[in-house]
Amino acid sequence: MISSERTAAGLPRRRLSILSLAALGIVFGDIGTSPLYTFKTVLNLTGRAPDASTILGVLSLVLWTLFIITSVKYVSFAMRVDNDGEGGILALMALLGVKKRQRPLIVAVGLIGAALIYGDGAITPAISVLSALEGLDMATASFRPYVVPIAVAILLGLFAIQSQGTAKIGQAFGPVMFVWFATMALMGISGIVQQPAILAALNPRYGLAYLFTHGAVGFLVLGGVFLCVTGAEALYADMGHFGRGPIQISWFAVVFPSLILNYAGQAALVLGGAPTYGNIFYRLCPQPLLIPLVGLATLATIIASQSIITGAFSMTRQAILLGWLPRLVIKQTSSEGYGQIYVGSVNFLLMAVTIGLTIGFKKSDGLAAAYGIAVSLTMLMTSALLFIAMREIWGWGLVAAGSVAAFFLIIDGAFFLANLVKVAEGGYVPLLLAACVYGAMWVWHRGAAAVSARLHEFLIPVPEFVEKVRLDNIPRVSGTAVFLTRTSQDTPPVMVWHVKHNRALHAHLFVLRVTVQSMPWVAAKDRIGVEEIAPDFWRAEARYGFMERPNVPELLRTSRSLGCTVDLDDVTYYVGHETIIRRQDRKGLPGWQEVFFAFMERNEVHVSDFFNLPSDQVVEIGRQIAI
């Protein structure tokens, strides 16, 4: 029995209510605005004036897709698999492909899925804002020429404010989206009251009958039906921000019922003879309230777009810390939440692509053709990873895990195949973007591994290095030198370079290697390990999770409590700067990969900024590395 003070999830009721409300704004923006364009897109794909069987059939497909994909697969299954509380395909990849044991294939699947999310993420703001503003066209035709310019202006403003952070704006996201879902539900009820017979679509046989009796058209309609769940992956990815409980409560108590009622209301209007041209969603609204509804819809789509942009920032930071992207400038926009960050380069690229798509496609109908293919492939990959999780984490038998996974894979596979026809109609856009992102991650990881391998070829054992310093009478100056290194043993190359060029060495030496674990957070007690490998020569390894921000000065203060006796009041930080050049023996990376990696390496953020080193205490030592 649940007490009046705390819930079954262990959270105080007030805290659970606040998190559930906040989840409405952050998690459900994309899936919550899909009724603006999904049902009209599906009817357009049927290819003819819809009769009663068609209307009931496509509505049944939409409702049962929402139930199976979102309620069953993500809310009931996927959200039970977490990497220390974090969800999403990257967290799942780190859990199964790295944390359990090294599996390159699983890592590749996870990275491709993440890259695909970037691809569809660029389309979400464009299709959402355009579909919201199309209500102006229905209010009066005189607005028609201004829909695209207004959409571009809104998108420019949205991307422009990202650098200021959204902490204050975010506080209003939940209440606004609650009003949006309540409005959608009331609009849907008004339509259902006019045609109660539409509720027959709750019977799945109508959807199956349409699917199996309309040949190729019935199958291709699935590409439009899939639009109703394009935001489902966000439920899983944002689990770390809110926890499973608040997301489940928001979904089942508010979002799912509102979506069912609104889709049923739109179908009821069409069943009653309403025209299918224009935006069916806005036909549910009384004419005097149309302009206010357009304003509310535009605000809801801005919130949905904000969620996608923030998600892209978070995923970029995860990829950087896991070693799949170069270091980028990451600005913390609020001290209240770790997720409040801004990545300028990602913001600019998303803005350029989104505005280009808005101007190029001009209408949400056109963008709908490009939308969904990347997410459907991501969902297919998630289902494959869930099968492994059922076997290895839950301990399910092969038959049980295989049966459930096969059910999800068949459904995801059908949606993916139905979406493949969109490739020529614009679906190539998210696929091309995803290919670029994955290519960048793959080349960066290969290049970083090649650099690390080259550095390890020239390592000098610590006793040999110390003895050489003694024999060469290298002067020892006061203070502490902290050397950041990628090597796990022997003398760091940057220390060898320092002695070679400066002919001096500090009295106290501290070698630090920072590694990122395949878990989101590392406990404070496991943060750093320190050992003295020679007199006044200390080596430390610091461990961070892929959701944490490394801070080296703070680490050094922590090392004092672990018995490190070096003088930390007079510290100079030494970092290496590698200039990448081509190997002459043809054993290195292909030329195009070396050029691309070198370009990314030259443009990544400086290591001292990434590790929060005081700029006036950093010495950079350069060297050419042939890969």
Side-chain angles (χ1 to χ4, degrees):
M1 182 176 180
I2 301 173
S3 71
S4 60
E5 296 297 327
R6 300 187 72 83
T7 64
L11 291 171
R13 284 190 178 277
R14 177 175 173 79
R15 176 65 175 165
L16 184 64
S17 300
I18 292 173
L19 287 175
S20 300
L21 183 62
L24 285 179
I26 302 300
V27 179
F28 298 105
D30 193 2
I31 199 169
T33 52
S34 59
L36 282 163
Y37 49 82
T38 296
F39 197 71
K40 68 166 184 170
T41 300
V42 176
L43 290 182
N44 289 340
L45 290 173
T46 61
R48 61 182 181 181
D51 54 20
S53 64
T54 297
I55 296 168
L56 290 172
V58 298
L59 176 62
S60 182
L61 288 172
V62 168
L63 299 183
W64 281 93
T65 296
L66 275 170
F67 176 70
I68 294 173
I69 297 293
T70 313
S71 297
V72 176
K73 176 184 171 181
Y74 280 99
V75 176
S76 301
F77 274 85
M79 291 184 67
R80 291 171 57 198
V81 183
D82 65 272
N83 190 348
D84 293 339
E86 291 295 325
I89 195 164
L90 269 183
L92 191 58
M93 175 209 77
L95 175 65
L96 300 175
V98 181
K99 192 173 182 180
K100 290 290 182 182
R101 59 178 182 267
Q102 295 294 326
R103 290 164 160 169
L105 181 59
I106 290 180
V107 171
V109 167
L111 292 174
I112 292 172
L116 289 165
I117 292 174
Y118 280 105
D120 255 3
I123 299 180
T124 295
I127 191 174
S128 299
V129 173
L130 275 176
S131 60
L133 292 174
E134 284 167 358
L136 294 174
D137 188 16
M138 296 186 65
T140 171
S142 61
F143 276 116
R144 185 172 302 168
Y146 304 106
V147 169
V148 172
I150 294 174
V152 170
I154 289 173
L155 290 169
L156 281 172
L158 174 65
F159 284 102
I161 66 171
Q162 296 304 310
S163 61
Q164 305 303 314
T166 57
K168 294 181 179 178
I169 302 174
Q171 295 173 3
F173 282 3
V176 170
M177 290 306 293
F178 181 82
V179 173
W180 168 251
F181 285 116
T183 302
M184 282 204 306
L186 292 173
M187 290 166 59
I189 291 171
S190 70
I192 295 170
V193 169
Q194 299 176 44
Q195 293 289 334
I198 199 66
L199 294 177
L202 292 172
N203 188 333
R205 73 181 182 87
Y206 284 97
L208 294 173
Y210 180 83
L211 193 60
F212 291 111
T213 59
H214 284 71
V217 173
F219 180 73
L220 295 179
V221 158
L222 290 177
V225 170
F226 183 76
L227 296 176
C228 74
V229 291
T230 49
E233 188 78 23
L235 277 73
Y236 189 30
D238 286 326
M239 184 169 64
H241 294 291
F242 301 99
R244 187 195 315 168
I247 292 177
Q248 289 177 329
I249 289 174
S250 295
W251 172 252
F252 286 114
V254 179
V255 182
F256 190 38
S258 300
L259 293 174
I260 290 175
L261 290 171
N262 193 267
Y263 283 121
Q266 292 186 53
L269 281 189
V270 179
L271 187 65
T276 58
Y277 62 85
N279 195 312
I280 301 172
F281 174 87
Y282 285 113
R283 295 192 188 281
L284 286 169
C285 180
Q287 189 67 23
L289 298 177
L290 187 55
I291 296 298
L293 178 62
V294 171
L296 178 61
T298 303
L299 192 55
T301 55
I302 289 173
I303 292 172
S305 302
Q306 175 62 54
S307 302
I308 289 292
I309 296 167
T310 302
F313 293 162
S314 297
M315 195 159 58
T316 299
R317 176 164 55 186
Q318 290 184 32
I320 291 170
L321 290 174
L322 287 169
W324 289 95
L325 282 176
R327 295 184 300 267
L328 302 175
V329 177
I330 299 176
K331 175 185 176 183
Q332 194 77 31
T333 59
S334 171
S335 60
E336 298 176 8
Y338 182 78
Q340 293 288 339
I341 60 173
Y342 171 72
V343 186
S345 53
V346 174
N347 188 65
F348 177 79
L349 291 173
L350 278 178
M351 180 186 70
V353 174
T354 300
I355 291 176
L357 290 172
T358 303
I359 296 173
F361 285 87
K362 294 182 174 62
K363 296 179 65 178
S364 63
D365 290 347
L367 278 167
Y371 200 41
I373 185 169
V375 171
S376 63
L377 184 53
T378 301
M379 289 185 174
L380 191 63
M381 293 176 173
T382 300
S383 294
L385 295 181
L386 282 176
F387 168 71
I388 300 172
M390 292 176 201
R391 296 276 291 144
E392 297 185 358
I393 297 177
W394 297 347
W396 285 18
L398 181 61
V399 174
S403 300
V404 174
F407 176 67
F408 291 147
L409 286 168
I410 289 171
I411 293 175
D412 290 336
F415 280 122
F416 174 65
L417 292 174
N419 273 290
L420 274 180
V421 299
K422 297 179 177 181
V423 171
E425 302 172 11
Y428 62 87
V429 173
L431 293 180
L432 185 61
L433 290 171
C436 293
V437 173
Y438 179 76
M441 290 193 292
W442 181 67
V443 170
W444 177 259
H445 193 72
R446 288 205 68 195
V451 170
S452 180
R454 291 291 284 173
L455 291 176
H456 277 80
E457 291 177 5
F458 306 104
L459 293 181
I460 301 174
V462 171
E464 180 180 329
F465 173 78
V466 171
E467 180 63 16
K468 181 175 175 56
V469 167
R470 186 186 68 80
L471 292 176
D472 292 346
N473 293 317
I474 301 296
R476 305 297 294 268
V477 298
S478 62
T480 299
V482 176
F483 295 88
L484 272 68
T485 183
R486 304 182 209 186
T487 61
S488 58
Q489 59 185 9
D490 298 327
T491 308
V494 68
M495 185 183 293
V496 177
W497 305 340
H498 167 59
V499 172
K500 178 181 179 181
H501 293 292
N502 296 321
R503 308 297 301 169
L505 191 62
H506 284 70
H508 306 287
L509 307 175
F510 192 96
V511 176
L512 176 64
R513 179 174 181 247
V514 178
T515 61
V516 178
Q517 308 297 299
S518 58
M519 60 184 69
W521 313 98
V522 171
K525 63 182 180 62
D526 301 322
R527 173 74 67 214
I528 186 171
V530 182
E531 64 172 331
E532 188 174 14
I533 54 179
D536 288 323
F537 193 142
W538 296 78
R539 174 178 283 277
E541 178 163 337
R543 292 168 287 273
Y544 283 93
F546 60 77
M547 291 293 291
E548 296 182 286
R549 184 183 185 189
N551 189 313
V552 169
E554 185 177 288
L555 273 175
L556 295 183
R557 288 191 291 271
T558 303
S559 69
R560 280 178 163 171
S561 62
L562 300 176
C564 179
T565 58
V566 298
D567 181 12
L568 298 180
D569 296 323
D570 182 13
V571 173
T572 301
Y573 298 92
Y574 288 87
V575 298
H577 176 74
E578 297 91 14
T579 299
I580 305 301
I581 60 174
R582 182 81 185 275
R583 286 183 67 156
Q584 300 301 314
D585 56 10
R586 297 186 179 181
K587 294 181 180 180
L589 298 181
W592 69 271
Q593 291 183 27
E594 181 271 327
V595 170
F596 189 25
F597 175 77
F599 171 78
M600 289 191 289
E601 197 268 345
R602 285 195 303 271
N603 288 278
E604 71 171 338
V605 69
H606 198 278
V607 64
S608 59
D609 296 325
F610 188 76
F611 288 121
N612 291 289
L613 304 180
S615 58
D616 58 345
Q617 295 176 246
V618 176
V619 175
E620 182 179 293
I621 300 176
R623 180 188 175 185
Q624 290 185 333
I625 301 291
I627 61 170

